[in-house]
Amino acid sequence: MPKKLSAFHYQLLTVLLWAVTCFMFYQECYPYHFFYKEQNQLFLWTNDYLSTYLAQPAWLACIVGDFLTQFYYYLYAGSTILTLSLLLLMGVLYIALRQVRLKKGWAFSIAVILVTLEAICHLRYDFRLASTYALIGSVSLFLCCCQKRYLLVLFTPLAYWLFGYGVWVYLILALICNWRWALSTTVVMIIGVYLLKGTYLLPTDQLYTYPGIGKLTMPNWYLEKQFMVDDEYYFGNWDKVVKVVEEEKEITSEMLFFYNLIKAQQGQLPEVLLRYQPNVLGTFYRIGPDTPMLTIKNMNELYYALGDMTFCERAALMACVFSPNNRNNRMVKRLAECSLIAGDSAAAQKYLGLLENTFVWRNWAKNASQSIVYQEKAAFNNQQDTISVTDNAHFIMMQLLDSNPKNEVALDYILCSNLLLKDVKNFKRDYDRYCIEQPRIRKLYQEALCIWLAAEQAPQEQWQQYIKDMSVMQRFMEYNQQRGSAQFKDTYWYYFDKGKAPKI
């Protein structure tokens, strides 16, 4: 007869199943939230930086959580670190509940339920790993003090200082032990905090984002999708972004932004401009107080691809300003790249020096100044007067093209932006300015030129000068006989007559 499994074995199997489920969900279904969290901090392993944590509550939990968060950059690291951290929380909770004389079954069940709720809290993009370590630390401190209950009272301010809102778990466990001790503990905590003259008091708007307490939420699949295209673009997996967008049924503006950015750098923007309506290039965006956070963080990628390092630097700085605690390692890396391309070695060394004090970006920072990529990129930088009172993308792209007419990314963006607005007059002006000596023969541009030539009743010689694709001429004649017909939906003529131009 086979042996029956004991209660311990059932509990062990439950924990293993829970851990595998947690890991697989976050790794397969929700991995890009980890990359977002990693990018939106800058953890420096220096005494000066670490000392800044001492001026806030939950400083120990924040140091541990933020230190581990930087490793979310690596594949599988985020889901592994989170799963192991939650298992550690489950373990100390179980021991603490057993310490307050709950039966094994009840203690185990409550620990699993509470840690599951904590795992759900991590679905939020702004929920920090430090929150889990605030709970782990508070429960561990309770275990150290529970044998001598007077220590529960004395160490309450310490629990708040080290672990922030995790002190509530500490107080609840004290309450289970003895309500009188819990009352005394709470009074001591309040007195201790106010003796510090409010230095360590947290505003209520940080209740759900500051370490120690969480807010239950549902998975945000929309944000996960946006983070996915952003990060895969950032990691250089452009084919994956293109495939996802082209297979997606519900395409968002952020997905189109990166899709067009890739196609422009591959020289294919005119071919895909009319594929999705309404389309998003990003050239009509302005950074201001009402600009969505994702847009602010994306704008530096547009300027970087175009080649304007001044506005790229500005956009990266703005993204840093709107990041938690004004720290964002991805934007610091971009600022270093901008300085290297612009030839500002002093500024570059400042940003590279910061990244050299991280564990993840240390090697990149040491080798970045020798990269040939940034030397080649410098050829496309804006050589005009970069002091500007406007972030009008059309003006920026004109400066870039005047500096280097071979900048095909800027050329396609300026021409396609005109065409999205149905501004054929300015399209023709920009085409003449930058494409006469080196014609940019694309089907989309040929179709747009047909509209201008027809409107101007241009002579035959002018048609022959601009229209090099005779199949476009033939189809234009057919369109004029069936104007607005859906069989021409793939043409600019149909968009010009039926499409809706973006508002600017």
Side-chain angles (χ1 to χ4, degrees), residues 222 226 229 252-259 280 294-295 298:
Y222 174 84
Q226 310 322 305
V229 293
T252 65
S253 58
E254 286 81 7
M255 295 174 77
L256 285 176
F257 173 85
F258 284 105
Y259 179 79
V280 178
L294 288 177
T295 300
N298 292 344

Side-chain angles (χ1 to χ4, degrees), residues 230-300:
D230 180 13
D231 286 316
E232 293 297 351
Y233 175 85
Y234 175 52
F235 298 143
N237 300 324
W238 290 5
D239 290 342
K240 184 173 182 179
V241 176
V242 169
K243 181 179 179 182
V244 167
V245 173
E246 292 181 348
E247 292 178 353
E248 182 65 39
K249 293 180 180 178
E250 298 181 7
I251 301 175
T252 65
S253 58
E254 286 81 7
M255 295 174 77
L256 285 176
F257 173 85
F258 284 105
Y259 179 79
N260 288 323
L261 203 55
I262 292 169
K263 290 298 183 179
Q265 292 173 86
Q266 294 174 339
Q268 300 172 12
L269 183 60
E271 283 74 17
V272 301
L273 184 70
L274 303 180
R275 182 174 294 177
Y276 303 103
Q277 297 298 327
N279 208 340
V280 178
L281 294 179
T283 49
F284 308 131
Y285 288 153
R286 301 288 180 85
I287 298 179
D290 299 323
T291 308
M293 178 63 66
L294 288 177
T295 300
I296 292 174
K297 295 191 179 223
N298 292 344
M299 286 303 292
N300 75 92

Side-chain angles (χ1 to χ4, degrees), residues 47-64:
N47 291 331
D48 289 341
Y49 179 81
L50 294 175
S51 65
T52 62
Y53 282 91
L54 298 177
Q56 59 185 348
W59 66 268
L60 183 57
C62 289
I63 286 179
V64 175

Side-chain angles (χ1 to χ4, degrees), residues 6 98 277 281 299 348 370 381 411 428:
S6 64
R98 288 289 294 137
Q277 297 298 327
L281 294 179
M299 286 303 292
Q370 281 80 44
N381 201 14
L411 178 58
K428 173 64 166 50

